[in-house]
């Protein structure tokens, strides 16, 4: 149900809409078929197809544009007052698009193992397989004050249809938690639980489309697994009233003795200013590391205009970036162009979306960057000055990262800091283990060891 329109999903897989159509939100694409789920926002509509792809119609968001080519989706969410939407993928990750004024479309970096999603007007929620809830977006009125597991008794221990709480937010969260937690061992399965429900979906960590004869026990055990067993697995629950399929779980098969997802740097950034006296800054980075080999996917960004929603004053109006190996330019960009490929790359690594397809921010997505030393130069087009952030993102999927995968080893920047100026270096440590980090700020040694004039004395 949208705020000005409504949608209905028919049993033949088509969709009907009615109500206001000022933004085309009820103009269902004529070729849209095989729909299994729908969601209606304020001025937008979303349909999830049986093949896991998503179709969007209605208002084209002014920022966080719809990620074309989105696939592997198991659920979609929006609501009547929202101008953004979420999609839950079969690998347990979440993709968001639409209005991001309150960061409601900025999915927290590293969010995984999600089994359900929900959207508020200015915030978003995700239920994880362990029963915890993650929220992001506007925190006004306590919308992100997610309560602990102080939920009332499960529905089968309450009178039928009795409200579980006077607080709609808490009632919803508790309901989500119940739907994905097993019943107490001693509790019977009374009639109030029908139609069938999945108490807990499979945990990531056996094949959709294929059946396992006799696999009706409480657990599925696979012996002598190989790469052929890697797939998405789900559970089908059936009784006299109907059938329900759980969310799928992804099984990855890794050779014995190969550590996966080690702790590592997954994002490095520098926030500083381009000034008339210092019209460009250069950051350096190293890809590789001892014992690694091959190339890695690397996303490089220089954002100026898209810093405005974060309250950053005086952003650089038109940044450009050039990436060098030695004296050779290996990639460069002035205006990112709003391409779907780059938007998807931003979402994949958890980077904040740019404010629009015509913003003059810069970005380069290198699918296979060779392990080497690189420098990235950032400057303003036409001598423009202002605040800019330069970012490096390791776009390697967590499930594909091993100790032999090239790493982001470091980031460094040589920059003149004027009176009242600040340079901020940021980094994100990802993976499943801790990582030792060395942080340095060098001034005097630049003069004594390298002869650089005008160094910062302290």
């Amino acid at each position: 149900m949208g705020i000005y329109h409504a949608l209905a999903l028919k049993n033949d897989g088509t969709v009907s809409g009615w109500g206001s159509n000022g933004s085309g939100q009820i103009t269902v694409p004529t070729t849209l078929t095989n729909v299994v789920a729908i969601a209606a926002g304020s001025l937008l509509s979303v349909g999830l197809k049986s093949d896991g792809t998503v179709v969007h119609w209605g208002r084209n968001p002014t920022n966080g544009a719809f990620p074309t080519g989105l696939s592997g989706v198991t659920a979609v969410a929006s609501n009547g007052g929202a101008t953004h939407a979420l999609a839950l993928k079969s690998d347990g990750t979440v993709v968001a698009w639409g209005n991001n004024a309150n960061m409601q479309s900025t999915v927290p970096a590293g969010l995984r193992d999600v089994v359900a999603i929900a959207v508020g007007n200015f915030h978003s929620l995700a239920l994880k397989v362990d029963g915890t809830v993650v929220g992001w977006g506007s925190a006004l009125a306590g919308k992100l004050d997610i309560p602990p597991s102080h939920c009332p008794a499960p529905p089968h221990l309450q009178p039928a249809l009795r409200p579980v709480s006077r607080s709609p937010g808490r009632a919803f969260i508790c309901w989500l938690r119940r739907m994905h937690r097993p019943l107490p061992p001693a509790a019977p399965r009374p009639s109030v639980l029908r139609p069938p429900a999945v108490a807990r979906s499979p945990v990531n960590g056996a094949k959709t489309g294929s059946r396992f004869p006799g696999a009706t026990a409480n657990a599925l055990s696979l012996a002598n697994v190989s790469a052929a067993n890697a797939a998405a697995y789900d559970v089908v629950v059936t009784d006299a009233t109907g059938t329900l399929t759980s969310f799928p779980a992804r099984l990855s098969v890794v050779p014995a003795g190969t550590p996966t997802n080690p702790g590592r740097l997954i994002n490095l950034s520098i926030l500083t200013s381009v000034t008339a006296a210092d019209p460009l800054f250069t950051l350096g980075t190293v890809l590789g590391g001892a014992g690694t080999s091959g190339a890695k996917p690397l996303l490089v960004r220089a954002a100026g205009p898209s810093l405005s929603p974060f309250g950053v004053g005086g952003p650089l109006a038109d940044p450009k970036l050039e990436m060098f190996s030695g004296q050779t330019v290996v990639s460069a960009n002035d205006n990112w162009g709003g391409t779907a490929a780059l938007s998807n790359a931003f979402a994949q690594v958890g980077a904040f979306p740019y404010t629009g397809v015509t913003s003059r921010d810069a970005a380069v997505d290198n699918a296979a960057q060779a392990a080497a030393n690189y420098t990235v130069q950032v400057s303003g087009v036409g001598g423009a000055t202002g605040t800019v952030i330069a970012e490096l993102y390791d776009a390697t999927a967590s499930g594909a990262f091993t100790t032999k995968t090239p790493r982001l080893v470091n980031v460094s920047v040589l920059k003149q800091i004027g009176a009242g100026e600040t340079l901020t270096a940021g980094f994100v440590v990802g993976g499943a283990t801790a990582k030792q980090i060395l942080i340095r700020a060098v001034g005097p040694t630049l003069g004594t060891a390298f002869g650089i004039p005008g160094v910062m004395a302290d």
Side-chain angles (χ1 to χ4, degrees):
M1 179 72 73
I3 191 170
Y4 302 118
H5 74 293
L7 300 178
L9 175 58
K10 302 174 70 174
N11 59 11
D12 63 355
T14 61
V15 177
S16 294
W18 64 96
S20 173
N21 199 36
S23 296
Q25 63 265 45
I26 68 170
T27 305
V28 182
T30 57
T31 58
L32 184 60
T33 58
N34 300 319
V35 178
V36 295
I38 52 176
S42 175
L43 299 172
L44 59 87
S45 299
V46 182
L48 170 62
K49 301 185 66 175
S50 59
D51 62 358
T53 60
V54 176
V55 178
H56 172 110
W57 65 98
R59 173 170 290 183
N60 187 34
T62 56
N63 56 13
F66 173 65
T68 56
L70 183 60
S71 62
V73 175
T74 61
V76 290
S78 191
N79 82 14
T83 51
H84 73 293
L86 302 181
L88 172 61
K89 301 189 67 176
S90 60
D91 62 359
T93 61
V94 177
V95 176
W97 67 94
N99 183 20
N100 198 37
N102 293 278
M103 303 298 288
Q104 64 266 49
S105 295
T106 301
V107 180
L111 180 62
R112 305 193 66 83
D113 301 325
V114 175
V115 296
I117 51 176
V119 165
N121 289 11
F122 307 110
H123 71 294
S124 303
L125 294 172
L127 171 69
K128 299 185 68 174
V129 72
D130 62 2
T132 60
V133 177
V134 178
W136 62 97
S138 172
L140 293 177
K143 291 188 287 289
L144 299 185
D145 296 337
I146 298 171
S149 301
H150 295 158
C151 296
H156 65 281
L157 299 180
Q158 301 178 4
L161 303 181
R162 178 181 174 184
V164 298
S165 170
R166 293 185 182 273
S167 167
R170 177 167 294 188
F172 173 72
I173 292 169
C174 291
W175 174 81
L176 281 178
R177 283 176 171 155
R178 284 198 206 97
M179 288 298 292
H180 293 274
R181 284 186 173 176
L183 296 174
R189 296 179 66 89
S191 59
V192 296
L193 287 181
R194 296 183 182 276
V198 175
R200 183 172 59 183
S201 292
V203 180
N204 288 343
K207 229 178 223 169
T208 299
S210 299
R211 294 185 177 183
F212 289 91
T216 58
N218 290 335
L220 174 64
S221 178
L222 302 176
N224 300 317
V225 295
S226 66
N229 295 104
Y233 290 73
D234 55 39
V235 176
V236 179
V237 181
T238 303
D239 71 1
T241 63
T243 297
L244 183 69
T245 302
S246 73
F247 290 100
R250 171 65 59 178
L251 173 67
S252 299
V253 179
V254 180
T258 305
T260 61
N261 202 21
R264 63 196 183 278
L265 292 166
I266 60 175
N267 166 244
L268 298 166
S269 63
I270 300 292
L271 177 67
T272 189
S273 297
V274 171
T275 65
D278 201 5
L280 66 82
F281 77 89
T282 301
L283 62 87
T285 191
V286 177
L287 303 186
T292 67
S293 62
K296 81 176 304 79
L298 183 71
L299 174 64
V300 185
R301 310 202 311 172
S306 291
L307 293 176
S308 295
F310 301 100
V312 176
L316 182 61
D318 190 1
K320 68 176 181 179
L321 68 84
E322 296 177 292
M323 187 169 180
F324 292 81
S325 176
Q327 300 299 313
T328 303
V329 177
V330 294
S331 58
N333 181 252
D334 178 5
N335 300 325
W336 76 293
T339 67
L342 281 172
S343 293
N344 290 338
F346 297 174
Q348 177 189 344
V349 299
F352 65 87
Y354 285 166
T355 53
V357 297
T358 60
S359 77
R360 294 184 176 181
D361 305 285
V364 173
D365 185 25
N366 298 318
Q369 192 72 54
N373 300 343
Y374 295 97
T375 57
V376 177
Q377 289 188 351
V378 178
S379 59
V381 175
T385 61
T387 304
V388 63
I389 187 169
E391 303 174 296
L392 303 169
Y393 288 90
D394 183 345
T396 309
S398 293
F401 203 102
T402 73
T403 55
K404 296 185 180 299
T405 305
R407 303 183 297 273
L408 276 176
V409 176
N410 85 316
V411 67
S412 61
V413 61
L414 180 65
K415 179 76 169 64
Q416 188 79 26
I417 305 297
E421 284 189 71
T422 300
L423 181 147
T424 302
F427 61 92
V428 177
V429 176
T433 60
K435 185 67 178 176
Q436 183 177 9
I437 302 294
L438 172 65
I439 303 174
R440 310 200 308 172
V442 184
T445 300
L446 294 178
T448 58
F450 302 100
I452 295 177
V455 300
M456 184 177 287
D458 191 358

